[in-house]
Amino acid sequence: MHLVPEERAHRRPIDEHTVCEAIAGIGEPESVRAWADRFSLLGEPGRLSVLLAVHRAGPIAVTDLALATGISETAVSQILRLLRVAGSVTAAKDGRVVRYRLADADLARLLDSVPPLPGGH
């Protein structure tokens, strides 16, 4: 059981090979934390709606995101602030308008797996 950490080595497995495969499948703790952070961004319907809109229609302005999602401009701005801090979106000025786009390729692939609502455009 070469992958079992020393502090757990005293425990007896049923199938050593399966335990090592499971540990390898989990990966490094830093990577697990990074993915948990990504998933937490998706766990709130407003954030998920903003992320999907930015991903599928971006670059897009706050006003347009508010209109598309049905969320107030203030709430959309707060969501975007959180998403910028997380490194999920970036902002670029286009004249007087700030447009947002998805910045996380891994998150983009994850969002690609979310089917649009029936009747969505």
Side-chain angles (χ1 to χ4, degrees):
M1 294 206 331
H2 67 286
L3 295 180
V4 174
E6 192 173 316
E7 67 271 9
R8 288 183 260 156
H10 67 281
R11 297 173 66 186
R12 294 283 157 223
I14 293 172
D15 183 341
E16 291 179 16
H17 177 74
T18 302
V19 170
C20 288
E21 289 291 320
I23 292 169
I26 293 168
E28 294 298 319
E30 300 81 29
S31 178
V32 171
R33 275 193 276 313
W35 275 104
D37 289 343
R38 279 188 183 103
F39 284 119
S40 73
L41 294 173
L42 305 175
E44 195 279 318
R47 286 193 304 264
L48 180 56
S49 295
V50 168
L51 280 166
L52 286 166
V54 168
H55 176 54
R56 294 185 175 148
I60 186 169
V62 170
T63 302
D64 293 343
L65 277 168
L67 182 59
T69 61
I71 301 170
S72 73
E73 287 186 37
T74 302
V76 167
S77 292
Q78 290 171 345
I79 290 168
L80 289 168
R81 193 173 314 116
L82 173 77
L83 296 175
R84 283 181 74 181
V85 168
S88 299
V89 300
T90 58
K93 259 192 127 92
D94 180 12
R96 293 176 43 154
V97 176
V98 177
R99 297 184 190 276
Y100 292 84
R101 70 176 44 194
L102 203 63
D104 183 334
D106 291 327
L107 187 55
R109 284 189 290 280
L110 192 57
L111 290 170
D112 283 338
S113 70
V114 177
L117 288 174
H121 302 284

